[in-house]
Amino acid sequence: MSKPIPVLEVFGPTIQGEGAVIGQKTMFVRTGGCDYRCSWCDSAFTWDGTGKSEALTPEQILDRLESLAPNAFGHVTISGGNPALHKGLGDLVSLLKSRGIQTAVETQGSIWQDWLKEIDAVTISPKPPSSGMETNWQQLENHLANLHTQQVSLKVVVFNREDYAYAKHVHALFPQYDFYLQVGNEDPHLLDDQELLQTLLQQYEQLIEWTMHDQAMKHVRVLPQLHTFLWGNKRGV
Amino acid sequence: MSKPIPVLEVFGPTIQGEGAVIGQKTMFVRTGGCDYRCSWCDSAFTWDGTGKSEALTPEQILDRLESLAPNAFGHVTISGGNPALHKGLGDLVSLLKSRGIQTAVETQGSIWQDWLKEIDAVTISPKPPSSGMETNWQQLENHLANLHTQQVSLKVVVFNREDYAYAKHVHALFPQYDFYLQVGNEDPHLLDDQELLQTLLQQYEQLIEWTMHDQAMKHVRVLPQLHTFLWGNKRGV
């Protein structure tokens, strides 16, 4: 019997809105709990007590996924919070793999789990200064060393020039990994979708401008969060 | 001395707005001429006589790229029209490769050139019924057989349900290739950016909806054209 995992949301099918598999048709499993407290976290309900998690076994999670999209998905994204808090996810990853389902995970690279090796697309997203968090560089390096280069991408969310400088530093330290710059969402509670869209597009253009003439940023990708363009700050899409 | 190539635009650095390398920092080289006449072509100036091409050698093209982004690019996208009309591009591709610059090409898969084998990311985009064009399936199959699976992605632009059915057919015929569905831009001459953005977002949401519960579309990516979100129908960005 597999150990239960604290799950906040199981939803989909929808598109992955960001990072290396942007646009991918996927299901989402969002776990509860995080070792970080990023000032601008867009999923703070996973750790600030406002969201209620449910203890589900891997088999129960798979049942939910199948009832949401009967025979209509081949990809699952495990998100959080920080999913790497949960050793028990290893059983879910094995179960999905045994069904031929591809997996993606996003984590900040602060906690290691062996099951990360089994994930098809691992996004490691160290947090920039605006988050208020401190990066443990040694931990991050160990994390990356445990994974295949092709399996990993690095992603840094950028809110301001200081964050951009941090992103450059990360890219310079680990140039062999696919590198993504992502526009930050300054107000994950804003309900006016039009206002949010205009703000995010302006910030995206700004981030592109910084990157385009930067000689230290040749092999990078600059992306927005597509789901916020489509659905604003709504949850579960 | 290399043979000159008819070039309509050399621009960048900017982001790649679509397909497999969406978000990638890149330079663009747009060649003139096309063997197709798609009804909704967003670059009709490459073949309808409204754009004037210039005959440039690969060395001259590289000079232009370097003056636009001195020591600040590592990726070049060759676009059209249909770049596969031009045998002479082989020398440009070799020249870029010798400088360690990565390349991407988009073509409909109607004409073969050996230099396609040297391209890092080949997007083959067969044209759906709304284009008014006929697909030569044998030609498309030969095209794909000449390339490595990892090097290629298939992309189909979708304007309506008939196009969507065509996209499914392409994906079913060649399931081993990364597959992208892309929202069509119905009015590439519309100058009202806000109106365009709203229309494109609605169409993107519609395309996502069609795909999400479709059991034949498990391993697909659904993407918009990011550059139209940012810059509307403006050229050279």
Side-chain angles (χ1 to χ4, degrees):
Chain A
M1 183 63 186
S2 303
K3 223 184 129 191
I5 301 146
V7 172
L8 262 154
E9 297 179 304
V10 177
F11 65 95
T14 186
I15 55 150
Q16 169 56 260
E18 52 188 70
V21 286
I22 191 166
Q24 172 72 45
K25 176 174 171 177
T26 191
M27 304 296 291
F28 277 88
V29 176
R30 189 186 297 285
T31 60
C34 197
D35 48 321
Y36 275 26
R37 298 287 179 264
C38 295
S39 63
W40 34 249
C41 180
D42 61 2
S43 306
F45 59 90
T46 61
W47 51 262
D48 68 3
T50 59
K52 204 180 136 38
S53 70
E54 210 178 337
L56 298 177
T57 64
E59 294 75 16
Q60 287 172 320
I61 295 171
L62 185 60
D63 282 350
R64 296 248 180 132
L65 293 168
E66 281 173 346
S67 68
L68 283 166
N71 197 29
F73 69 97
H75 191 277
V76 172
T77 304
I78 304 171
S79 184
N82 184 2
L85 283 173
H86 312 292
K87 193 171 162 39
L89 277 173
D91 291 330
L92 176 64
V93 173
S94 303
L95 183 61
L96 294 172
K97 214 169 173 167
S98 73
R99 305 289 174 102
I101 298 165
Q102 290 182 356
T103 51
V105 158
E106 179 168 335
T107 176
Q108 57 265 48
S110 54
I111 295 168
W112 175 256
Q113 295 289 351
D114 279 334
W115 55 257
L116 285 165
K117 292 188 181 185
E118 309 303 317
I119 300 286
D120 296 295
V122 181
T123 299
I124 309 277
S125 57
K127 303 303 176 189
S130 65
S131 69
M133 299 294 113
E134 285 286 336
T135 304
N136 181 331
W137 298 99
Q138 190 55 57
Q139 183 67 258
L140 180 61
E141 197 179 326
N142 295 347
H143 233 79
L144 289 168
N146 281 330
L147 296 162
H148 290 290
T149 314
Q150 301 82 339
Q151 181 187 15
V152 179
S153 62
L154 284 164
K155 188 180 76 175
V156 177
V157 180
V158 174
F159 287 82
N160 55 41
R161 292 239 53 142
E162 205 187 348
D163 290 354
Y164 182 79
Y166 172 92
K168 278 176 79 160
H169 181 64
V170 173
H171 183 44
L173 280 176
F174 309 108
Q176 68 273 42
Y177 297 93
D178 285 346
F179 190 80
Y180 292 77
L181 289 161
Q182 182 175 298
V183 181
N185 179 0
E186 271 168 16
D187 190 355
H189 302 289
L190 185 69
L191 292 176
D192 183 332
D193 288 355
Q194 286 309 312
E195 193 187 329
L196 180 67
L197 178 59
Q198 290 310 318
T199 306
L200 291 172
L201 278 172
Q202 274 164 26
Q203 287 168 344
Y204 184 32
E205 197 166 2
Q206 173 73 85
L207 185 55
I208 290 170
E209 210 180 293
W210 288 344
T211 313
M212 290 304 115
H213 288 277
D214 190 334
Q215 296 183 347
M217 296 297 228
K218 282 184 194 168
H219 291 287
V220 298
R221 287 168 75 166
V222 192
L223 287 173
Q225 293 179 299
L226 283 179
H227 51 285
T228 57
F229 284 8
L230 286 163
W231 301 301
N233 284 319
K234 211 166 120 190
R235 262 178 65 178
V237 279
Chain B
M1 182 66 187
S2 302
K3 224 182 130 192
I5 301 146
V7 172
L8 261 155
E9 296 179 304
V10 178
F11 65 94
T14 186
I15 55 150
Q16 169 55 260
E18 53 187 69
V21 286
I22 191 166
Q24 171 72 44
K25 176 174 170 177
T26 191
M27 304 296 291
F28 277 89
V29 176
R30 190 186 297 284
T31 59
C34 197
D35 47 320
Y36 275 27
R37 298 288 179 264
C38 295
S39 62
W40 33 250
C41 180
D42 61 3
S43 306
F45 59 90
T46 60
W47 51 261
D48 68 2
T50 58
K52 203 179 137 38
S53 69
E54 212 178 335
L56 297 177
T57 64
E59 294 75 14
Q60 287 172 320
I61 295 171
L62 185 59
D63 282 350
R64 296 246 179 135
L65 292 169
E66 281 173 347
S67 68
L68 284 166
N71 198 27
F73 69 98
H75 191 276
V76 172
T77 303
I78 304 171
S79 185
N82 184 2
L85 283 173
H86 312 293
K87 192 169 162 38
L89 278 173
D91 291 328
L92 175 64
V93 173
S94 303
L95 182 62
L96 294 172
K97 212 166 175 170
S98 73
R99 306 289 176 102
I101 297 164
Q102 291 182 357
T103 51
V105 158
E106 179 168 334
T107 176
Q108 57 265 49
S110 54
I111 295 170
W112 175 256
Q113 295 289 350
D114 279 334
W115 54 257
L116 285 165
K117 292 188 182 186
E118 309 303 318
I119 301 287
D120 295 296
V122 182
T123 299
I124 309 277
S125 57
K127 304 303 176 189
S130 64
S131 69
M133 299 294 113
E134 285 286 335
T135 303
N136 181 331
W137 298 99
Q138 189 55 54
Q139 183 68 257
L140 179 61
E141 197 179 326
N142 295 346
H143 232 80
L144 289 167
N146 281 330
L147 296 162
H148 290 288
T149 313
Q150 300 81 340
Q151 180 187 15
V152 180
S153 62
L154 285 164
K155 189 180 76 176
V156 176
V157 180
V158 174
F159 287 83
N160 55 42
R161 292 238 54 143
E162 203 187 349
D163 289 354
Y164 182 79
Y166 172 93
K168 279 177 78 160
H169 181 63
V170 173
H171 183 44
L173 280 176
F174 309 107
Q176 67 273 43
Y177 297 92
D178 285 346
F179 191 79
Y180 292 78
L181 289 162
Q182 181 175 297
V183 181
N185 179 358
E186 272 169 15
D187 189 356
H189 302 289
L190 184 69
L191 292 175
D192 183 332
D193 288 355
Q194 286 309 312
E195 192 187 328
L196 180 67
L197 178 59
Q198 290 311 319
T199 306
L200 291 173
L201 279 171
Q202 275 165 26
Q203 287 169 342
Y204 184 32
E205 197 166 1
Q206 172 74 84
L207 184 56
I208 291 171
E209 210 180 292
W210 289 344
T211 313
M212 289 304 114
H213 287 277
D214 190 334
Q215 296 183 346
M217 296 296 227
K218 281 186 195 169
H219 291 286
V220 298
R221 287 168 75 165
V222 192
L223 287 173
Q225 293 178 299
L226 283 179
H227 52 285
T228 57
F229 284 8
L230 286 162
W231 302 301
N233 284 317
K234 211 167 118 190
R235 260 177 66 179
V237 279

